[in-house]
Amino acid sequence: MKEQSAQARWEQLTQRPLLALAVLFAVAYAVPIVDTSAGHSLTAGCTVVEWVVWGVFAVDYLMRLSLSRDRRGFVRQHWMDLCAVVVPLIQPLRLLRLVSTLLLVGRRARMASQIRVTTYVGGAVVGLLMFGSLAVLSVERDSPNGNIRTLGDAVWWSFTTMTTVGYGDHAPTTGLGRMIAVGLMLSGIALLGVVTANIAAWFIERFEKDDVEEREQTEAIRALTEEVRALRAEVAALRKTSVGG
């Protein structure tokens, strides 16, 4: 019980700092892509920031593992966190650091009970749109046959891809760009399903609440009707008694 309490305190204590570091990671990832004139020192500094943020998330995973009472169960339950920590070490690509950090941020955010599903979905949409645009721009901008050259083109492509509209005016031509497109398509479908399910659940909950209130009002009216009938019967009995007396 003490270990579980320590783990919960650790998660509550580190939640906001990790989210702040995630924002810092987003800035460090975006700067070299948006600013094509960035020098070598700025690019290297942003890369160091990315690795440091990823390292902090890795340390967070190890701390939660050490504070868990059932460590094997923790690993089985948080196997996606483990993959996100290990994958960038196998192949240190910037895109893998991006995916792993996004995954770790999402997993830590879902642990917070105060974050509502709607807020999480909205943040996921904005995050995927932004990082998808930056990722596809970084791999397609220098492609000989590519037609995604600016950040505006990348954002428009990401938006149409996530919503599964796909006008076709912009499309990735490299293998990595197409992999990013597949990921955005699947993510867009999943998020759309979550939003639809939440809306349906809200309507169902609202209707059920209205039904409960209606039943309670019906029961109250029925109880009042019975009381009125009983009072009438008592009044009638009292009148008979008074007349007989």
Side-chain angles (χ1 to χ4, degrees), residues 27 69 114 119 132 138 150 169 192 194 197 228 236:
V27 174
R69 184 176 61 180
Q114 65 269 26
T119 305
S138 66
T150 65
D169 51 351
L192 181 61
V194 171
V228 170

Side-chain angles (χ1 to χ4, degrees), residues 133 137 148-159 170:
S133 303
L137 180 62
I148 303 177
R149 303 293 185 184
T150 65
L151 182 61
D153 294 339
V155 172
W156 171 250
W157 171 84
S158 297
F159 189 82
H170 295 287

Side-chain angles (χ1 to χ4, degrees), residues 174-193:
T174 62
L176 188 56
R178 290 171 179 172
M179 291 177 61
I180 296 172
V182 171
L184 281 179
M185 292 174 192
L186 297 177
S187 301
I189 294 173
L191 290 174
L192 181 61

Side-chain angles (χ1 to χ4, degrees), residues 2 14-15 31 74 80-81 83-84 135 141 148 158 169 202 215-217 226 235 243:
K2 293 182 180 180
T14 59
Q15 176 188 339
V31 167
F74 180 87
M80 293 185 65
D81 298 30
C83 292
R141 181 164 48 196
I148 303 177
S158 297
D169 51 351
W202 182 83
R215 286 196 296 269
E216 290 178 352
Q217 291 176 359
E226 294 295 332
V235 169
V243 170

Side-chain angles (χ1 to χ4, degrees), residues 12-23:
Q12 185 178 4
L13 180 65
T14 59
Q15 176 188 339
R16 291 185 179 180
L18 288 178
L19 292 178
L21 286 175
V23 175

Side-chain angles (χ1 to χ4, degrees), residues 129-211:
L129 182 65
M130 180 181 64
F131 284 109
S133 303
L134 294 173
V136 76
L137 180 62
S138 66
V139 300
E140 291 291 326
R141 181 164 48 196
D142 298 328
S143 176
N145 300 322
N147 57 4
I148 303 177
R149 303 293 185 184
T150 65
L151 182 61
D153 294 339
V155 172
W156 171 250
W157 171 84
S158 297
F159 189 82
T160 57
T161 301
M162 286 187 63
T163 55
T164 65
V165 175
Y167 287 109
D169 51 351
H170 295 287
T173 57
T174 62
L176 188 56
R178 290 171 179 172
M179 291 177 61
I180 296 172
V182 171
L184 281 179
M185 292 174 192
L186 297 177
S187 301
I189 294 173
L191 290 174
L192 181 61
V194 171
V195 172
T196 304
N198 285 335
I199 294 175
W202 182 83
F203 277 110
I204 293 174
E205 182 181 358
R206 189 66 183 177
F207 290 151
E208 290 180 349
K209 184 178 180 180
D210 292 340
D211 292 339

Side-chain angles (χ1 to χ4, degrees), residues 40-59:
H40 177 72
S41 58
L42 179 60
T43 303
C46 291
T47 303
V48 171
V49 171
E50 293 175 16
W51 277 110
V52 169
V53 173
W54 170 85
V56 172
F57 275 96
V59 171

